[in-house]
Amino acid sequence: MFAFIISRLLQAIPVLLVVGFIAYAMFAFVGDPVTIMLGQDTTEAQRAALVHQLGLDQPFLVQYAHFMWAALHGQFGISYRLARPVSDLIFERLPATVELSLTAAVLALLVGVPMGVYTAIRRDGLLARAFMIFSLVGVSLPTFLIGILLILVFAVLLGWLPSFGRGEVVRFSHWSTGFLTISGWRSLVLPAITLGLFQMTLIMRLVRAEMLEVLRSDYIKFARARGLPERAINFGHALKNTLVPVITIVGLQIGGLLAFSIVTETVFQWPGIGLLLVQSIGVADIPVMSAYLLLVALLFVGINLIVDLLYYAVDPRLRVDRRALTGTR
Amino acid sequence: MTLLEVDGLTVEFPTRRGLLRALDQVSFSIGAGEVLGVVGESGAGKSLTGAAIIGLLEPPGRIAGGQIRLDGRRIDTPTREQLRPIRGRQIGAIFQDPLTTLNPLYSIGRQLVETIQTHLQLSDRDARARAVRWLEEVGIPAARQRIGAYPHEFSGGMRQRVVIALALCAEPRLLIADEPTTALDVSVQAQIIALLKRLTRDHGTAVMLVTHDMGVIAEAADRVAVMYAGRIAEIGPVRAVVQQPAHPYTQGLMDSIPSLQHRVGRLRQIDGAMPRLTAIPAGCAFSPRCPKVFHRCRVERPDLFDAGDTRAACWLYDA
């Protein structure tokens, strides 16, 4: 098991190198940061000095090597726009995104899985059909539209919930949390629903499809023939067998939530890393964008590792090799 | 003493092209401790009969007529949840493919204990002890050590033994074995049949043994029912049905079994094929293929008549 984790982490190194390279290569074309940073009346000499100071006069590969070498030491450079270390900027804003994404993910799982099971068991029920129609809306409506609609209804028309920001936050050294204040929770509701709705409906449809497949299987028929209670069959035997594909998708989706909550953060002016990225793209802030993409790559590598470990926990067939090696049973 | 009585059982499937009658007026009984073999071609309704008895017809299939009685108590009407305590406790079932009938994610011990505790008020420890005893009884070596093992760690034959233990661990009085050996190697088939015979004899369990293998029937059954196109063609003691079959279909079936004693140039077969359920002929369903057909067979459906030692649904035996 330990060797497996180590090997997976080693495999992550080339992935990160390639992601960094591609990101850096692309950003050479997003615009000229120097022009954006300087005023209209700067001289050519001042301009050349800034280019040299930023290292932009060096060959591309040298720039990339410098960037990766510094990144290896936890240095992501200085933001062109805000003139502050990129790592500070990201870690300042990371808690907002993490809290938003996790809330959305928990919401999606807690609602999506039971709804999927329900629609599979009561396939022809009225409520199940209503869920299916609702899920179609969730899967097909774009996130920004859902966000704007929610703002319109709950913030503008009804005035129940705030339409932007995080509300009051409580700080613990490097982490700021909105979980401890009422205004923090109130601010979280609309963005979390906006971000989680698509995942919720996706999980629901996935669980439903897998459940329908499993409920037709011989071992479910045999469990019925042995007189096991319906509840034990549906939630014990059937649901567990749907978990492997569901874990795969959910893992990727949670990675996606953390990495690409950009649209939701923009709609709700949520002070997370997604909003930071959007603002940075506008002014070609290359260090921030590169660091962001590296972080996302690292995140996906980590999540995939966790997903693989969960497979082992769920499916005994995957554990067999290890057992044979160690001779335990 | 009669344990199970099936009386005029009719099963229908509503489809877009009308009602399919998959079982038509099927009647038979099984005595306590008796082994009834059920044979017939694919689609004759053998497995469906078993599914109807245990209350596991796949929707939209439904019992459209007749009665099923266990100990004189009707078990064809209650809903699924009312039937649940009967399944496993009164009637057990074994299916064809042992590779797919065990839940791959739970250890066999857990599946056994769960089944035992569903039907018997036993503590975890007692249920576990009972599970080990059943594994020993079906011939799993080192049962105590193997109880935590998962289905994929067993071979096909061993898995079918586990399936048998699961079906019998609450000691039902009737076992419906649906093609229990079809998916197994020939060498393992005989072992499984011998095991089933021994266990059901020891525990006094009656068996409805569904198969298309006449060899298995001859080996294990007391009586045999021959099914054709959703109806019973002939039913009687296994010796009589095998040696002096009365119904022309049964005769054809026996003739088509190759024998080592008599050299024949060519295997005999019954001309034609079983009719589809959408196009069952009026009168006797076998009449289009029957070598002894006469006018009445084509217009009127025969009941079961006494025919020597067996009973056959054939106008030849109308007294």
Side-chain angles (χ1 to χ4, degrees):
Chain A
M1 182 57 61
F2 191 65
F4 170 77
I5 295 175
I6 295 291
S7 80
R8 286 300 298 264
L9 289 178
L10 288 178
Q11 282 169 25
I13 292 173
V15 172
L16 292 177
L17 283 174
V18 170
V19 168
F21 184 82
I22 293 173
Y24 219 75
M26 278 196 316
F27 294 152
F29 303 101
V30 294
D32 182 3
V34 177
T35 313
I36 297 169
M37 286 164 81
L38 294 175
Q40 281 186 332
D41 49 354
T42 38
T43 63
E44 199 54 34
Q46 282 172 313
R47 187 186 162 81
L50 184 62
V51 167
H52 181 72
Q53 189 197 331
L54 295 176
L56 294 175
D57 53 348
Q58 286 170 327
F60 169 73
L61 278 178
V62 176
Q63 287 186 43
Y64 169 68
H66 273 288
F67 171 74
M68 287 309 286
W69 183 249
L72 207 59
H73 296 81
Q75 302 294 317
F76 294 93
I78 310 289
S79 160
Y80 296 165
R81 180 171 65 106
L82 300 166
R84 292 178 53 199
V86 172
S87 43
D88 286 3
L89 286 175
I90 286 185
F91 284 112
E92 236 171 58
R93 288 164 165 254
L94 198 58
T97 298
V98 168
E99 288 187 356
L100 174 62
S101 310
L102 286 187
T103 311
V106 168
L107 188 75
L109 277 175
L110 286 188
V111 180
V113 171
M115 267 167 74
V117 173
Y118 181 84
T119 49
I121 297 171
R122 302 247 180 286
R123 196 158 25 141
D124 299 318
L126 215 60
L127 192 57
R129 280 165 196 238
F131 282 163
M132 287 307 287
I133 293 169
F134 162 73
S135 78
L136 214 57
V137 173
V139 169
S140 50
L141 273 191
T143 309
F144 73 90
L145 191 61
I146 294 172
I148 290 170
L149 284 176
L150 286 178
I151 289 177
L152 180 67
V153 174
F154 291 100
V156 178
L157 294 179
L158 296 172
W160 289 351
L161 295 163
S163 63
F164 71 93
R166 270 187 99 186
E168 287 171 42
V169 293
V170 178
R171 291 198 63 91
F172 295 99
S173 64
H174 289 296
W175 194 270
S176 65
T177 177
F179 285 158
L180 295 175
T181 62
I182 292 174
S183 84
W185 277 105
R186 279 164 47 88
S187 308
L188 192 58
V189 174
L190 293 184
I193 291 176
T194 306
L195 188 59
L197 191 68
F198 174 79
Q199 322 295 337
M200 181 198 299
T201 48
L202 186 77
I203 289 171
M204 172 195 144
R205 295 183 84 91
L206 182 73
V207 169
R208 175 180 183 270
E210 291 292 328
M211 276 289 279
L212 287 177
E213 188 76 30
V214 170
L215 285 175
R216 272 197 296 270
S217 66
D218 283 349
Y219 54 84
I220 294 299
K221 207 168 100 187
F222 188 45
R224 290 222 169 91
R226 280 179 283 150
L228 299 185
E230 281 293 314
R231 200 184 167 75
I233 292 172
N234 290 332
F235 288 94
H237 290 257
L239 186 59
K240 194 171 179 190
N241 273 283
T242 68
L243 280 185
V244 166
V246 171
I247 286 173
T248 313
I249 301 293
V250 168
L252 288 176
Q253 293 298 323
I254 288 180
L257 283 180
L258 277 163
F260 307 117
S261 55
I262 300 165
V263 174
T264 307
E265 291 191 4
T266 307
V267 171
F268 287 93
Q269 288 297 299
W270 188 264
I273 51 174
L275 194 58
L276 176 68
L277 179 72
V278 171
Q279 289 162 350
S280 303
I281 290 173
V283 293
D285 199 344
I286 294 172
V288 176
M289 292 189 280
S290 311
Y292 180 85
L293 277 192
L294 274 187
L295 184 72
V296 167
L298 196 65
L299 208 69
F300 271 92
V301 169
I303 285 174
N304 275 327
L305 180 64
I306 294 173
V307 164
D308 281 348
L309 292 178
L310 282 176
Y311 286 170
Y312 276 75
V314 169
D315 196 335
R317 284 167 291 189
L318 298 173
R319 297 197 286 256
V320 73
D321 291 341
R322 189 166 51 87
R323 278 191 183 183
L325 285 179
T326 53
T328 54
R329 165 145 286 142
Chain B
M1 199 191 88
T2 309
L3 176 67
L4 179 85
E5 277 181 279
V6 176
D7 191 5
L9 178 66
T10 301
V11 169
E12 290 177 341
F13 285 82
T15 67
R16 259 176 293 169
R17 274 177 287 163
L19 221 50
L20 281 188
R21 183 161 286 194
L23 287 184
D24 196 353
Q25 300 279 332
V26 170
S27 303
F28 61 90
S29 65
I30 301 179
E34 185 185 39
V35 179
L36 175 75
V38 179
V39 282
E41 299 168 45
S42 309
K46 314 180 295 280
S47 301
L48 208 58
T49 310
I53 291 170
I54 202 163
L56 288 178
L57 282 176
E58 299 275 341
R62 59 188 172 80
I63 296 177
Q67 294 191 356
I68 303 169
R69 288 186 298 271
L70 188 74
D71 275 334
R73 201 157 65 93
R74 285 189 70 169
I75 57 168
D76 54 311
T77 42
T79 62
R80 202 171 245 192
E81 201 50 22
Q82 285 170 297
L83 261 184
R84 197 175 63 68
I86 294 174
R87 288 199 293 263
R89 185 77 181 100
Q90 302 286 336
I91 310 178
I94 304 176
F95 299 118
Q96 180 169 342
D97 189 354
L99 299 185
T100 56
T101 40
L102 294 170
N103 189 334
L105 302 188
Y106 290 125
S107 69
I108 58 164
R110 198 194 137 149
Q111 299 189 45
L112 272 164
V113 167
E114 186 183 20
T115 309
I116 290 168
Q117 287 187 326
T118 299
H119 297 292
L120 308 172
Q121 303 290 323
L122 288 182
S123 68
D124 289 353
R125 235 183 98 169
D126 291 348
R128 203 179 155 78
R130 192 183 172 95
V132 170
R133 213 171 61 238
W134 267 102
L135 287 180
E136 280 164 356
E137 205 161 349
V138 296
I140 303 284
R144 197 170 296 277
Q145 287 78 48
R146 300 278 277 166
I147 192 165
Y150 289 91
H152 68 266
E153 298 173 73
F154 294 88
S155 66
M158 282 295 155
R159 277 193 232 187
Q160 193 65 310
R161 287 170 190 266
V162 174
V163 169
I164 291 170
L166 273 164
L168 292 179
C169 63
E171 308 214 349
R173 300 164 63 207
L174 172 67
L175 177 70
I176 294 174
D178 189 355
E179 310 258 9
T181 57
T182 308
L184 299 173
D185 286 345
V186 180
S187 55
V188 182
Q189 285 183 5
Q191 293 174 15
I192 295 294
I193 288 299
L195 175 70
L196 269 178
K197 262 177 82 174
R198 177 170 63 77
L199 285 176
T200 51
R201 193 186 57 229
D202 290 355
H203 293 268
T205 318
V207 183
M208 176 176 154
L209 180 61
V210 175
T211 179
H212 57 251
D213 186 339
M214 277 312 293
V216 169
I217 294 282
E219 168 71 21
D222 301 316
R223 284 193 307 138
V224 56
V226 180
M227 290 192 71
Y228 186 81
R231 303 166 185 187
I232 288 188
E234 182 165 6
I235 184 166
V238 67
R239 208 180 167 74
V241 172
V242 171
Q243 292 181 347
Q244 288 126 21
H247 197 288
Y249 174 64
T250 321
Q251 292 168 358
L253 205 61
M254 297 305 153
D255 279 350
S256 63
I257 298 171
S259 157
L260 287 178
Q261 273 91 47
H262 313 285
R263 286 192 67 87
V264 282
R266 207 167 219 285
L267 283 179
R268 254 177 283 172
Q269 59 176 28
I270 310 174
D271 289 333
M274 197 169 69
R276 277 184 300 178
L277 292 177
T278 44
I280 293 182
C284 173
F286 187 61
S287 59
R289 301 169 73 187
C290 184
K292 299 174 182 166
V293 64
F294 53 98
H295 177 69
R296 194 177 186 185
C297 306
R298 298 209 169 92
V299 289
E300 220 177 325
R301 184 183 158 180
D303 283 331
L304 284 170
F305 300 111
D306 283 327
D309 291 332
T310 74
R311 288 169 66 77
C314 180
W315 287 121
L316 289 173
Y317 304 96
D318 183 20

